[in-house]
Amino acid sequence: MREICLVRAPSNLGLRPLRPGHIPGTWRAPQALTEAGLIETLAPLKVVDLDRPAYSTEPQPGTRLRNGSAIRSFNLGLAEVIAGALRRGEFPLVVGGDCAVLLGALAGARRSGPMALVHVDGHSDFRHPGNYDVDASLGSAAGMDLALATGRGEPLLTDWPEIASPLVADEQVIQIGERENRDPDFAWPDINSTTMTLIDVFAVRELGAAKVLEKTWTALARTGWAYWVHFDVDALDQTVMPAVDSPGSPGIDPDDLVVILAGLVADPRCTGMDMTIFRSGSRSDRRAGSAAGFAAWPDVCAALVVRPAPPASP
């Protein structure tokens, strides 16, 4: 069984401010979840703490992405940590932070070879210059992570050292949990024209965890490549997990979520995982993270303990 390298990545750079002067609270999540028993549950071999980056609401030169240059810098550092953990045979678990940390995680994992992605998220995060007006407002990378990972957007966050773009090809993406795709004003309907495997929250609730995993295994079997798991806690219903940037309903049933995550991380092809978007800002947010509002948290942590053994040598 591979030992966990826990990476605490306190970045909020990819999120928009909710009001003038607001600083998104996701940077506090690694510490809040640590206080809720993260280390005791996971018993990681190694803990790596990344420095909190400075958040700005102002445009930056040369980019239409909010905090774009800072996001790149933060993710370059994260990529080094992930690459090092994989060289040592460890299982990297990144606790963010916002969803933009997926980019650094993939950039590091890709140094070991081609990669598939299982994207478990209440939003498919597919905003890119082809479906919004880049001149009208700054882009927020936390709502663009899947688009950026598949090569859509500014080279600042699509092109990474030592690896060819994109970080992951469309046909190697399985997106699980989107809740807004059946709305008439769905923000990025062009995702339906890609070759990604899309399993929205309604299908998850209809199929159940076992069949969702079966469908995921079928998609992953196209190449048999290693894969990364991205888990945004807003995949849970807002009645279970209200302390997120964009809460909503419906969500994946907590019991089904545990089965899905446990199945994914137990497979030896699973390279690592990131968990994002828990918002620890107000006192009520912190209660949600450590008590009844995050009832699934202990079981999700327990699921991650069932991590894979290293692949057998050829």
Side-chain angles (χ1 to χ4, degrees):
M1 183 171 67
R2 283 183 290 175
E3 298 288 351
I4 289 177
C5 175
L6 176 64
V7 185
R8 295 187 288 202
S11 175
N12 58 355
L13 296 174
L15 292 170
R16 70 193 187 284
L18 299 180
R19 56 191 175 276
H22 174 249
I23 304 297
T26 54
W27 68 269
R28 296 188 182 93
Q31 183 60 37
L33 295 177
T34 297
E35 292 171 0
L38 179 69
I39 291 178
E40 290 79 5
T41 302
L42 295 180
L45 175 69
K46 186 181 182 72
V47 178
V48 178
D49 285 308
L50 300 182
D51 292 336
R52 176 193 171 192
Y55 181 90
S56 174
T57 59
E58 299 302 316
Q60 295 179 336
T63 177
R64 289 299 297 164
L65 297 171
R66 178 176 288 106
N67 294 300
S69 298
I71 291 172
R72 181 174 180 83
S73 179
F74 185 86
N75 277 296
L76 286 171
L78 175 58
E80 291 296 329
V81 173
I82 298 303
L86 293 176
R87 282 195 300 269
R88 296 188 299 270
E90 297 162 1
F91 183 87
L93 171 62
V94 181
V95 176
D98 68 63
C99 292
V101 302
L102 171 62
L103 303 174
L106 285 174
R110 273 289 313 279
R111 296 185 194 176
S112 300
M115 195 70 47
L117 171 65
V118 183
H119 189 273
V120 183
D121 195 317
H123 308 89
S124 42
D125 294 349
F126 198 65
R127 186 176 297 280
H128 61 86
N131 58 31
Y132 85 104
D133 183 356
V134 298
D135 295 321
S137 62
L138 291 177
S140 296
M144 309 169 83
D145 55 276
L146 183 54
L148 291 162
T150 54
R152 297 167 172 89
E154 290 187 22
L156 183 69
L157 296 185
T158 61
D159 295 353
W160 300 91
E162 302 182 36
I163 52 177
S165 183
L167 290 168
V168 61
D170 285 5
E171 59 269 21
Q172 295 302 320
V173 173
I174 300 95
Q175 205 292 319
I176 301 172
E178 170 67 66
R179 66 168 56 95
E180 297 178 358
N181 59 310
R182 304 191 187 189
D183 295 348
D185 58 350
F186 182 42
W188 36 78
D190 52 323
I191 195 172
N192 296 314
S193 301
T194 70
T195 55
M196 299 179 196
T197 298
L198 306 175
I199 310 173
D200 66 21
V201 67
F202 308 98
V204 173
R205 292 163 70 91
E206 179 180 347
L207 293 170
K211 290 186 177 179
V212 169
L213 282 171
E214 181 180 337
K215 191 169 183 178
T216 301
W217 301 141
T218 298
L220 291 169
R222 294 169 187 163
T223 61
W225 288 349
Y227 61 87
W228 186 270
V229 175
H230 164 77
F231 169 47
D232 182 332
V233 299
D234 76 7
L236 291 159
D237 193 280
Q238 63 185 342
T239 59
V240 175
M241 173 38 71
V244 295
D245 180 60
S246 298
S249 296
I252 300 175
D253 178 83
D255 292 336
D256 281 344
L257 178 64
V258 169
V259 172
I260 291 167
L261 291 178
L264 290 170
V265 301
D267 190 286
R269 293 170 297 175
C270 184
T271 293
M273 176 176 171
D274 68 89
M275 187 177 74
T276 63
I277 287 296
F278 172 58
R279 185 195 69 210
S280 179
S282 68
R283 187 173 300 172
S284 62
D285 288 341
R286 289 192 287 275
R287 284 199 299 268
S290 58
F294 200 175
W297 170 243
D299 288 336
V300 169
C301 281
L304 297 177
V305 177
V306 189
R307 52 200 182 274
S313 300

